[in-house]
Amino acid sequence: MMNPSKIIEAGVEYSLGKFDGHTVYYEFPKILIYLDAKGKILFGRNFKIFDNDRELLFRLCNYIIRDEKMCQKMNLDLNKGLLISGPVGCGKTSLMKLLKYVVPHQKAYEVIPCRNIVFSFNHIGFKAIEDFGESGYFCFDDLGVEPLGRFFGQDCNVLGEILLSRHDLLLSKKIRTHVTTNLSATELEERYGQRVRSRMKHLFNLVTFSKNTFDKRV
């Protein structure tokens, strides 16, 4: 039987906690050790877990391992996806690319830059909205800075339409959606309108980096 509490990376075994044959009892310090190691593999040796991010990471890790009791205490709804908001360079994208590796037994989401989705729309039209809106497990990265879509002279707020479809997908098939963004809730409403903003409240748990978080890419 596979032991989901142990993960092997580059020949090194990392323990995330204890497994009794039915349930994994995760230990946050061990998860951090693994995330630091996996981060260096994915993003280079300069990657590190910053102490200032530990509280936010604790929230995200409890969500990703689906700890119902802890998430209830932290007001995280496991039926919703994540909307991670924060300043440029704070690490939103890296964390979302990284966290899914903690739970290899779960269905993995794909991190897709929103601008790439718009480029796809500009090339193949409304099929792109179907492809990203009506199925699949995705984290839409950098929501709100993508250009307006345009296909055969017709303008389209592509991600706005996709989010409306993803709301329907959540209701019908319980498929969650994740998003990263630099924008505030007010700015998102200005960008996508009140209707989409209303749906986003049902789609996402809001997890926010401090405005004072420094740019880790500098």
Side-chain angles (χ1 to χ4, degrees):
M1 178 186 295
M2 184 188 74
N3 185 343
S5 71
K6 297 185 184 299
I7 299 177
I8 297 175
E9 296 286 355
V12 178
E13 183 178 87
Y14 295 90
S15 172
L16 306 183
K18 298 176 182 178
F19 181 56
D20 65 4
H22 300 283
T23 304
V24 179
Y25 299 92
Y26 290 95
E27 298 175 36
F28 183 57
K30 292 183 177 180
I31 293 177
L32 289 182
I33 291 171
Y34 170 70
L35 289 176
D36 185 71
K38 184 64 175 180
K40 285 178 170 58
I41 292 171
L42 291 176
F43 309 119
R45 63 183 181 180
N46 291 328
F47 177 86
K48 64 178 292 187
I49 300 292
F50 291 88
D51 288 341
N52 291 344
D53 294 335
R54 284 174 68 99
E55 183 177 345
L56 181 140
L57 257 175
F58 184 68
R59 289 172 59 82
L60 292 177
C61 285
N62 276 286
Y63 173 88
I64 211 73
I65 65 175
R66 303 190 66 75
D67 187 317
E68 293 184 14
K69 290 184 178 179
M70 287 303 301
C71 285
Q72 191 171 21
K73 288 181 181 179
M74 294 183 290
N75 199 29
L76 292 172
D77 186 342
L78 290 174
N79 296 312
K80 297 181 181 181
L82 295 170
L83 191 159
I84 303 182
S85 174
V88 173
C90 67
K92 303 179 296 295
T93 303
S94 297
L95 287 182
M96 287 308 291
K97 288 181 176 179
L98 188 57
L99 282 169
K100 62 183 179 179
Y101 291 100
V102 173
V103 285
H105 52 287
Q106 291 185 20
K107 179 72 175 179
Y109 55 83
E110 185 178 359
V111 180
I112 303 286
C114 290
R115 66 179 183 277
N116 290 9
I117 298 174
V118 174
F119 295 155
S120 177
F121 173 86
N122 293 345
H123 180 63
I124 66 173
F126 288 89
K127 185 179 184 303
I129 295 177
E130 294 178 12
D131 290 344
F132 291 103
E134 298 181 5
S135 63
Y137 293 79
F138 297 111
C139 172
F140 300 131
D141 188 39
D142 261 349
L143 180 72
V145 298
E146 75 281 356
L148 195 66
R150 189 172 181 82
F151 183 70
F152 280 97
Q154 184 173 357
D155 291 337
C156 180
N157 191 327
V158 177
L159 267 295
E161 294 298 325
I162 287 174
L163 289 174
L164 291 175
S165 295
R166 298 297 297 190
H167 181 262
D168 294 339
L169 189 63
L170 178 66
L171 294 178
S172 62
K173 297 184 179 179
K174 310 301 181 187
I175 295 179
R176 293 168 292 151
T177 306
H178 307 305
V179 160
T180 74
T181 184
N182 301 330
L183 304 186
S184 67
T186 301
E187 290 170 326
L188 287 171
E189 183 169 334
E190 290 174 356
R191 178 74 169 79
Y192 298 105
Q194 188 175 8
R195 184 177 174 219
V196 173
R197 172 62 185 146
S198 175
R199 300 299 192 280
M200 290 175 73
K201 293 177 182 177
H202 298 110
L203 274 168
F204 302 119
N205 296 285
L206 177 61
V207 179
T208 307
F209 278 86
S210 167
K211 294 180 180 179
N212 299 322
T213 303
F214 61 92
D215 189 338
K216 300 178 178 70
R217 294 180 295 194
V218 174

